[in-house]
């Protein structure tokens, strides 16, 4: 038979292990969040107010990509109809 003090000792060890795993997971989660925050800060970049270059934001990039796709579709339609460009 098991001694009566073994079961509480195992339960206490399991609880301690669970607390350690939870603390490690929380530390990892906070590190991941700070990494993503830094990535967002770097992606945004510093705002330069003294330059005359306009910022190319997501809306501008989307319009450029849409215009590129429309041009590709026009070329493909021309090829499909047999028209030389």
């Amino acid at each position: 038979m098991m001694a009566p003090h073994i079961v509480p000792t195992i339960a206490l060890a399991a609880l301690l292990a669970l607390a350690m795993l939870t603390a490690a997971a929380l530390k990892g989660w906070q590190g991941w969040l700070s990494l993503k925050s830094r990535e967002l800060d770097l992606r945004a970049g510093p705002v330069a107010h003294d330059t005359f270059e306009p910022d190319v934001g997501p809306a501008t990039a989307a319009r450029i990509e849409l215009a590129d796709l429309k041009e590709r579709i026009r070329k493909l339609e021309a090829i499909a109809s047999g028209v030389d460009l």
Side-chain angles (χ1 to χ4, degrees), residues 22 30 53-54 62 74:
T22 303
Q30 289 173 343
E53 297 177 353
R74 187 185 65 78

Side-chain angles (χ1 to χ4, degrees), residues 2-68:
M2 292 194 320
H5 65 281
I6 296 289
V7 174
T9 304
I10 292 174
L12 184 62
L15 185 61
L16 182 63
L18 181 64
M20 289 170 42
L21 287 174
T22 303
L26 180 61
K27 179 82 170 164
W29 175 253
Q30 289 173 343
W32 185 81
L33 285 178
S34 68
L35 173 70
K36 291 299 175 181
S37 176
R38 286 185 204 139
E39 285 179 1
L40 288 174
D41 290 342
L42 287 175
R43 184 176 294 164
V47 178
H49 294 288
D50 58 347
T51 62
F52 294 104
E53 297 177 353
D55 292 336
V56 177
T60 306
R63 283 185 281 172
I64 291 171
E65 186 175 346
L66 186 60
D68 184 43

